[in-house]
């Protein structure tokens, strides 16, 4: 450590050290795309905590040698999960984009903060231009409006609730929730839990986040149920404030009917937010953007390029149709940061729009990828992922041992299914069969992780026992990887 810059004569050891780090990273990248390597080398928490062959997580009083630091770098990657591996299907964000990776390296090297133009001039302008482009794609006239990159979709959704409250009840900012009537938020029973979390964190209370029923076939919100619940809330003397429509639900990949929900929001003077964290990327595809029809009527939109578009984590945007609300809602005019008498146009100081002070540069990797791919490249990526999910659906919908959670082609890349081992296939639907089927997906997943061959998520939902939720957002995935996954599930589940 003491040999590296800024130490005197530290230039040569620094360059040598960094080249060795780059060597570790490029080897990792090479292995990530090599299908003969494991997705993960699984160890239980107690094993990693006890230490593995020269890799020790404990912190020490004395500095370690640079050789040991390089070992630590290598082992950290060795025992982690290769989320860029073509057979990693576990999360909505997966893949390893090389341009995005280069952007992240540059961002860390620049090591600046997004709160003012003063210290992040190029990044601030990139963010503004990119957000404007995203608003144009949503369909807001001339890309007008506002926005900011936040630390993930849950925080972007929280911004939407805060801004809605500020728009209708600005006094809540100064006087708090005691100064406003009892406000109610509405969201689908299948929406992301972050809407409930926003209700809890912002003082609405989880009981005032009302869950909407969805139809059984498409798992979309039923607009008639929304209207009935709005009327019911008003009859109780509550004020319906906000509706969240989901474009691409987390588990089923369903798209709520935005136009019909927008009609009700206009009728009852409510804020319409579209959570497109997962499905927003489909706006880049001329073939699939119709699934978000009506999104231009939203007051705010969450859109996570780190999910469907393959941008390295984290990269989430909150986009607001009305300019000035983000600033009004969050502005605190900190004198040590946002001086009004700087020598440049201080409207480019975006920090007072944010709930954070320090804000990571999330824009550069995304901007660089957009430069490298063009809009057309994102479109091709999205179309390919949706084609792969259609391929998977068609392959398993009538295959022996597989049962679909829902009939009908998936709207997004989410394909939800049960694997039924031979021992359960002749059994009639009863409580015992359900209990046994509930244990199948966790057992197969555990064996997958132990052998390190592939990863796919599972969960129960409502009255449905554990099923696999397959999602595809990795541009490296191919039909052969889908084939491999199906055969692996069959291989591991055959004797259960």
């Amino acid at each position: 450590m003491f040999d590296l810059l800024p130490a005197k004569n530290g230039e040569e050891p620094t360059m040598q050290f960094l080249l060795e780090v780059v060597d570790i990273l490029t080897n990792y990248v090479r292995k990530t795309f090599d299908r003969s390597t494991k997705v993960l080398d699984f160890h239980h928490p107690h094993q990693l905590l006890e230490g593995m062959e020269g890799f020790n997580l404990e912190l020490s009083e004395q500095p370690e040698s640079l050789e040991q630091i390089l070992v630590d770098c290598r082992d950290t990657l060795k025992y982690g999960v290769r989320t860029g591996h073509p057979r990693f299907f576990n999360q909505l964000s997966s893949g390893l984009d090389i341009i995005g990776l280069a952007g992240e390296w540059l961002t860390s090297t620049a090591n600046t903060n997004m709160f003012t133009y003063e210290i992040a001039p190029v990044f601030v302008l990139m963010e503004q231009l990119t957000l404007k482009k995203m608003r144009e794609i949503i369909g807001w006239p001339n890309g007008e409006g506002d926005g900011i990159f936040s630390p993930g979709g849950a925080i972007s959704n929280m911004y939407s609730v805060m801004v809605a409250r500020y728009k209708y009840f600005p006094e809540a900012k100064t006087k708090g929730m005691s100064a406003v009537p009892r406000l109610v938020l509405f969201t689908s029973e299948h929406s992301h839990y972050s809407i409930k979390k926003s209700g809890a964190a912002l003082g609405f209370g989880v009981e005032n986040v009302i869950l909407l029923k969805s139809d059984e076939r498409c798992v979309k919100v039923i607009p008639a149920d929304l209207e009935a619940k709005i009327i019911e809330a008003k009859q109780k003397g509550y004020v319906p404030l906000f509706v969240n429509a989901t474009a691409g639900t987390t588990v089923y990949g369903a798209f709520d009917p935005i136009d019909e929900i927008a009609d009700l929001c206009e009728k009852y003077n409510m804020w319409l937010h579209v959570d497109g964290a997962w499905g927003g990327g489909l706006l880049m595809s001329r073939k699939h953007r119709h699934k978000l029809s009506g999104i231009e009527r939203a007051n705010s939109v969450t859109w996570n390029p780190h999910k469907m578009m393959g941008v390295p984590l984290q990269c989430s945007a909150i986009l607001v149709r009305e300019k000035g609300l983000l600033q009004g809602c969050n502005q605190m005019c900190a004198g040590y940061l946002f001086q009004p008498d700087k020598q440049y146009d201080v409207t480019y100081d975006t920090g007072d729009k944010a709930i954070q002070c320090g804000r990571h540069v999330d824009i550069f990797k995304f901007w660089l990828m957009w430069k490298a791919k063009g809009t057309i490249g994102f479109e091709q990526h999205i179309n390919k992922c949706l084609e792969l999910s259609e391929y998977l659906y068609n392959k398993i919908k009538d295959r022996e041992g597989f049962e679909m959670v829902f009939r009908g082609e998936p709207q997004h890349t989410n394909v939800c299914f049960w694997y039924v081992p031979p021992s359960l296939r002749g059994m009639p639907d009863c409580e015992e069969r359900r209990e046994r089927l509930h244990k199948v997906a966790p057992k197969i997943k555990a064996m997958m992780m132990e052998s390190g061959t592939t990863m796919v998520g599972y969960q129960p939902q409502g009255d449905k026992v554990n099923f696999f939720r397959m999602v595809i957002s990795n541009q490296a995935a191919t039909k052969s990887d889908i084939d491999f996954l199906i055969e692996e599930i069959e291989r591991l589940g055959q004797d259960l």
Side-chain angles (χ1 to χ4, degrees), residues 330-359:
N330 297 311
Q331 187 171 39
M332 291 294 154
C333 303
Y336 70 96
L337 271 181
F338 308 116
Q339 304 91 339
D341 49 2
K342 294 179 183 180
Q343 86 276 29
Y344 60 83
D345 179 354
V346 293
T347 61
Y348 287 96
D349 286 357
T350 54
D352 232 4
K353 292 179 192 177
I355 48 177
Q356 303 157 261
C357 176
R359 193 160 66 89

Side-chain angles (χ1 to χ4, degrees), residues 160-200:
S160 72
V161 178
M162 290 171 66
V163 170
R165 179 176 63 186
Y166 178 76
K167 167 72 175 170
Y168 288 98
F169 297 96
E171 61 272 28
K173 178 180 175 179
T174 47
K175 296 188 170 74
M177 290 297 273
S178 60
V180 300
R182 186 162 169 180
L183 304 175
V184 181
L185 316 173
F186 299 89
T187 190
S188 162
E189 60 187 351
H190 294 302
S191 68
H192 193 259
Y193 69 89
S194 56
I195 303 297
K196 277 169 109 172
K197 188 169 267 197
S198 297

Side-chain angles (χ1 to χ4, degrees), residues 121-154:
V122 185
F123 296 136
V124 162
L125 296 179
M126 282 175 178
E127 183 176 69
Q128 292 216 354
L129 287 166
T130 307
L131 289 167
K132 185 175 195 290
K133 186 87 173 160
M134 292 170 87
R135 292 191 297 266
E136 283 170 11
I137 288 167
I138 286 169
W140 292 336
N142 305 319
E144 284 304 308
D146 210 341
I148 204 159
F149 281 89
S150 89

Side-chain angles (χ1 to χ4, degrees), residues 213-448:
K213 287 196 179 78
S214 52
D215 67 15
E216 267 305 301
R217 196 175 61 81
C218 304
V219 285
K220 299 174 176 180
V221 157
I222 303 167
D225 183 56
L226 169 59
E227 184 156 34
K229 283 175 174 159
I230 292 170
I231 292 165
E232 189 187 339
K234 286 168 81 77
Q235 283 167 347
K236 289 178 179 169
Y238 307 161
V239 176
L241 174 77
F242 171 102
V243 182
N244 173 60
T246 308
T249 56
T250 310
V251 177
Y252 296 135
F255 289 79
D256 287 337
I258 301 170
D259 260 322
E260 292 169 71
I261 294 170
D263 290 342
L264 292 171
C265 286
E266 283 174 18
K267 182 175 175 181
Y268 293 101
N269 189 30
M270 297 170 70
W271 183 279
L272 172 59
H273 175 64
V274 173
D275 176 5
W278 174 222
L282 270 60
L283 290 167
M284 307 293 271
S285 163
R286 284 164 291 189
K287 184 178 177 184
H288 294 287
R289 69 167 287 138
H290 67 90
K291 294 168 188 175
L292 296 96
S293 176
I295 193 168
E296 70 286 348
R297 299 173 67 189
N299 299 96
S300 57
V301 173
T302 290
W303 178 352
N304 286 11
H306 72 223
K307 290 199 170 92
M308 198 58 211
M309 294 165 72
V311 178
L313 283 157
Q314 61 195 27
C315 189
S316 171
I318 173 67
L319 301 141
V320 182
R321 190 168 66 186
E322 186 180 329
K323 204 169 174 62
L325 287 180
L326 269 174
Q327 188 87 0
C329 178
N330 297 311
Q331 187 171 39
M332 291 294 154
C333 303
Y336 70 96
L337 271 181
F338 308 116
Q339 304 91 339
D341 49 2
K342 294 179 183 180
Q343 86 276 29
Y344 60 83
D345 179 354
V346 293
T347 61
Y348 287 96
D349 286 357
T350 54
D352 232 4
K353 292 179 192 177
I355 48 177
Q356 303 157 261
C357 176
R359 193 160 66 89
H360 185 256
V361 176
D362 295 328
I363 184 58
F364 182 67
K365 59 202 166 191
F366 182 28
W367 178 88
L368 200 66
M369 280 175 67
W370 206 328
K371 280 278 197 184
K373 285 172 175 275
T375 309
I376 198 90
F378 282 123
E379 178 176 47
Q380 287 164 352
H381 166 71
I382 283 152
N383 289 351
K384 180 194 168 188
C385 289
L386 278 132
E387 278 162 26
L388 283 176
S389 65
E390 194 181 333
Y391 172 79
L392 169 63
Y393 170 74
N394 287 326
K395 192 163 169 126
I396 63 174
K397 65 177 178 183
D398 300 315
R399 190 183 182 96
E400 191 186 9
F402 289 83
E403 281 178 26
M404 304 309 301
V405 175
F406 290 99
R407 298 302 288 183
E409 269 190 28
Q411 291 184 284
H412 204 343
T413 71
N414 309 51
V415 182
C416 299
F417 60 90
W418 288 282
Y419 173 71
V420 184
S423 66
L424 296 181
R425 282 178 206 168
M427 222 176 154
D429 187 21
C430 62
E431 194 54 38
E432 190 198 342
R433 183 184 188 270
R434 286 165 55 80
E435 279 175 19
R436 285 172 62 181
L437 185 58
H438 188 61
K439 294 172 182 167
V440 169
K443 280 183 179 164
I444 292 175
K445 172 72 177 275
M447 288 189 280
M448 271 180 188

